[in-house]
Amino acid sequence: MTAQEPAPNPATLGPTPGGARRLLRIERLDKRFGQLQVLRALDLDLAENERLVVIGPSGGGKSTLLRCVMGLEAIDGGRIVFDGEVYIEARPGARRHRTFVDKQIQLEVGMVFQHYTLFPHLSVMQNLVLAPVLVRRQRRAAAVAAGRALLERFNLLDKADEYPNRLSGGQKQRVAIARALMMEPRLMLFDEITSALDPELVKEVLTVMLRLAEQNMTMMIITHEMDFARKIATRVAFIDQGRILEQGPPERIFTAPAEARTRDFLDHFIVG
């Protein structure tokens, strides 16, 4: 961080629960698309084994935030630190900031998208082993063994040789989760992964995520499933107009939010 950049606002950074090691720290993150400012000096952090659910209105910056953390979007200001090392940083260029991304750290982050993003010309098993073999140089036999173990864990072993067009939406999304886990990430990002599913298929995907939570997977999750958010989150952050307006334990956020804007948003949902 240069001398001209103000320090992150401690009020917007959540405490690390139980003294856990901070895995991710987002410092004064700015992101624009042309003249549209999507993220505004956003500060946020995430401890190891924590499950942070980010909620907020459409267009508030949620998906852009996750894409920036994954290194898929160039940033216009700030930086992201992963386990004490600079992971992503906006660095001054001749005409505009350029974005530095540490590609080795990027391998520690996995992301599951709203619309599956499976390769349609590859079988389920081929989708799973592609990145470990090509990127991590894992032996194919070892990758296949790991893939079979994940598919069995997700009740999909009988689909190993099927192609994505033969799967239901819920099955596709479970395969997408398994594919991300094949890279053994330390942080998983989930971007509205049930929003494209029929209601009867949502439960099977959320069940997989709850199982990951039981195994202390560190996660950052965007969802409009407020009941699910309340069950899985260790902390909830509310974002609007590119800023984190408040954050805290799910019980407090859902029952007694401090900000009127959060209350207005939650009034549109029934949270048991």
Side-chain angles (χ1 to χ4, degrees):
M1 182 176 298
T2 65
Q4 289 75 29
E5 292 176 323
N9 179 0
T12 64
L13 292 172
T16 55
R21 182 167 62 181
R22 180 176 286 111
L23 184 63
L24 188 77
R25 186 179 183 103
I26 301 169
E27 301 177 349
R28 302 196 62 78
L29 183 62
D30 281 331
K31 174 62 185 176
R32 291 186 296 274
F33 292 107
Q35 297 301 310
L36 177 64
Q37 183 96 27
V38 181
L39 300 175
R40 304 167 184 268
L42 185 145
D43 295 330
L44 193 63
D45 68 357
L46 184 64
E48 230 171 10
N49 302 333
E50 192 176 13
R51 300 180 300 278
L52 174 66
V53 175
V54 181
I55 63 172
S58 297
K62 303 186 302 297
S63 292
T64 299
L65 172 60
L66 254 62
R67 290 180 64 84
C68 288
V69 173
M70 190 65 224
L72 300 177
E73 297 284 356
I75 63 175
D76 297 292
R79 70 177 185 173
I80 301 173
V81 177
F82 188 94
D83 200 12
E85 300 291 332
V86 175
Y87 163 36
I88 298 172
E89 187 172 38
R91 295 181 174 175
R95 296 186 177 180
R96 53 167 294 174
H97 283 88
R98 58 187 178 87
T99 301
F100 163 80
V101 179
D102 187 313
K103 297 298 184 181
Q104 286 302 119
I105 295 177
Q106 192 176 37
L107 296 178
E108 304 292 327
V109 184
M111 185 167 179
V112 182
F113 300 85
Q114 178 178 345
H115 294 291
Y116 322 128
T117 65
L118 298 175
F119 295 111
H121 62 291
L122 299 180
S123 70
V124 166
M125 183 59 73
Q126 288 169 335
N127 265 279
L128 263 60
V129 304
L130 183 65
V133 170
L134 292 183
V135 178
R136 289 203 181 274
R137 303 298 180 186
Q138 189 174 5
R139 294 175 64 91
R140 184 175 179 82
V144 168
R148 288 181 61 85
L150 277 172
L151 292 177
E152 185 171 19
R153 179 173 155 195
F154 293 169
N155 297 317
L156 290 168
L157 188 55
D158 61 330
K159 305 296 182 183
D161 297 322
E162 296 282 6
Y163 286 81
N165 66 350
R166 299 289 301 274
L167 305 178
S168 70
Q171 290 168 340
K172 290 177 185 177
Q173 203 58 289
R174 283 185 286 156
V175 171
I177 295 171
R179 183 178 63 177
L181 292 174
M182 286 288 291
M183 295 293 283
E184 300 182 348
R186 295 176 62 192
L187 169 63
M188 281 287 290
L189 311 175
F190 297 94
D191 186 10
E192 294 282 14
I193 65 169
T194 61
S195 63
L197 299 180
D198 293 333
E200 63 267 23
L201 299 177
V202 169
K203 184 177 179 181
E204 65 185 67
V205 175
L206 297 185
T207 298
V208 167
M209 292 182 64
L210 287 169
R211 288 175 182 166
L212 292 178
E214 291 170 357
Q215 296 167 3
N216 293 323
M217 171 64 72
T218 307
M219 307 183 205
M220 187 180 294
I221 302 164
I222 292 173
T223 183
H224 277 110
E225 302 281 343
M226 293 297 118
D227 288 332
F228 168 67
R230 191 168 185 169
K231 289 176 184 175
I232 200 169
T234 55
R235 179 159 49 103
V236 175
F238 178 75
I239 186 173
D240 190 25
Q241 297 184 5
R243 293 190 176 94
I244 302 296
L245 296 190
E246 69 172 304
Q247 59 183 298
E251 284 301 314
R252 185 187 70 75
I253 295 295
F254 288 123
T255 61
E259 296 290 329
R261 183 67 186 92
T262 313
R263 292 194 295 272
D264 290 343
F265 173 79
L266 291 174
D267 280 346
H268 292 86
F269 299 92
I270 300 174
V271 181

